[in-house]
Amino acid sequence: MQISLDLAREALPKSEYTAAISALEQISIDAKAAVTAVDFAACDNTANYRGNFISRGLSAGFTVHDRYLYPDSYVLYEGPVRVGVQDPL
């Protein structure tokens, strides 16, 4: 997930918004694919870190899409199907 975040941070200043969105969505995809018992084993059990990473990756992808890639227009943001309603958590 850190690699995806770094890719997004590098893409944004270059106005490579599509690449930034893909990298941010990849954070969500990776978090969803993680086996909670193993990949988040060191995390506090009372916190939903997996869900947090999924939602923040999608939220950041949407923000870049809505505010930078398509400002002042109404272009539908369609997040990755692997994380969306078609494939529930």
Side-chain angles (χ1 to χ4, degrees):
M1 288 186 274
Q2 184 64 51
I3 292 170
S4 295
L5 180 60
D6 291 343
L7 289 172
R9 293 170 96 179
E10 291 172 10
L12 282 171
K14 299 176 191 174
S15 299
E16 296 173 353
Y17 301 128
T18 303
I21 292 167
S22 295
L24 292 166
E25 290 174 344
Q26 190 61 45
I27 293 170
S28 298
I29 292 166
D30 291 345
K32 183 175 185 285
V35 178
T36 305
V38 176
D39 297 322
F40 292 104
C43 299
D44 180 7
N45 289 340
T46 61
N48 182 8
Y49 289 102
R50 183 177 185 222
N52 192 345
F53 280 112
I54 291 170
S55 65
R56 287 179 186 262
L58 291 177
S59 177
F62 166 76
T63 300
V64 173
H65 175 275
D66 191 55
R67 300 294 180 210
Y68 293 98
L69 189 57
Y70 297 105
D72 299 321
S73 62
Y74 297 101
V75 177
L76 179 64
Y77 171 71
E78 296 184 34
V81 173
R82 293 174 286 179
V83 180
V85 176
Q86 296 84 355
D87 186 15
L89 297 176

